[in-house]
Amino acid sequence: EVQLVESGGGLVQPGRSMKLSCAASGFTFNNYDMAWVCQAPKKGLEWVATISYDGSSTYYRDSVKGRFTISRDNAKSTLYLQMDSLRSEDTATYYCARYWELRYFDYWGQGVMVTVSS
Amino acid sequence: DTVLTQSPALAVSPGERVSISCRASEGVNSYMHWYQQKPGQQPKLLIYKASNLASGVPARFSGSGSGTDFTLTIDPVEADDTATYFCQQSWNDPDTFGAGTKLELK
C-alpha cells in the first residue's frame, strides 16, 4: 500500500524558515517524480514544486522561486521542502504527492499545516 | 497560467446523475484530471487524462471532454459522494487546478 506521511509543519514567524518532510513507503520511491501541492484555508489547490525521480530536475511555481527548495533522499525514501523567507500568504496545508508520468498526482499524503504569523 | 473554471456548488438527490464541468482558458489537449476531496481529507484521484478511471474508483464515475471543455459525471450519485471536486490540467506549465465544485446531497 502506498503511503506518504508528511511532518514538520507548525507555526512560524514571517521571514523565518521551515522544513517539511514526507516519508514514502509501499512503492519504489526512486522510480517516481514527486511534488508538493498546497491548499490555503478554505481555498483551492495550488501546485508548489516538483522534483524528478533522481533529483536532477526541479520545478517551482513563480511565487516560491528563490525561497523554497524541493529535494529528496532516495536512500531514505523521503521528500523534503525547505521553505525560507516565509510570508503570511504561504499559510496553507502542504501535501506531498506522487507525480505520475502522465502528469497527475496519483497518491497524496494526509497533509501538514503551515501557519505563518507573528 | 491556464485558468480552470468550475461552477462553485451543486445539489442533487441520491440516485440522480450529476455532471460537473471544468472549462480551461486555453486548450489542454486531454491532460485534464479530476480529484475528490472530502472534508478534512487529502484529495483522491478519480479520473486521469480526461476519461480514464483511476484504480479502485467506482464505475459510477466517468470523465469526458478534450480541448477546453471537460465533464466529470457521477451516475448514480450516492450519499458518500458529498465532497468537493477539483479539476487539474497538466498540458500547459504550470499545472493548475480549478477552484472546486462542492457537491451536496439533498
Side-chain angles (χ1 to χ4, degrees), chain A residues 4 37-39 43-47 50 59-62 95 99-111, chain B residues 1 31 33 35 37 40-45 48-49 55 86 88-100:
Chain A
L4 299 169
V37 177
C38 71
Q39 186 171 33
K43 297 291 186 182
L45 300 163
E46 194 169 75
W47 167 76
T50 303
Y59 311 89
Y60 301 91
R61 67 177 302 105
D62 285 348
Y95 295 100
Y99 195 53
W100 188 229
E101 60 183 11
L102 292 180
R103 302 187 62 180
Y104 55 85
F105 307 96
D106 63 347
Y107 288 96
W108 300 63
Q110 84 287 352
Chain B
D1 296 0
Y31 283 75
H33 322 293
Y35 303 86
Q37 186 177 35
Q41 295 186 18
Q42 69 269 51
K44 173 189 173 183
L45 177 69
Y48 64 93
K49 271 205 83 183
S55 176
F86 294 94
Q88 174 230 340
Q89 70 81 26
S90 58
W91 181 249
N92 303 307
D93 287 332
D95 289 7
T96 51
F97 291 86

Side-chain angles (χ1 to χ4, degrees), chain A residues 4 8 21 25 57-58 96 105:
Chain A
L4 299 169
S21 300
S25 61
S57 299
T58 56
C96 160
F105 307 96

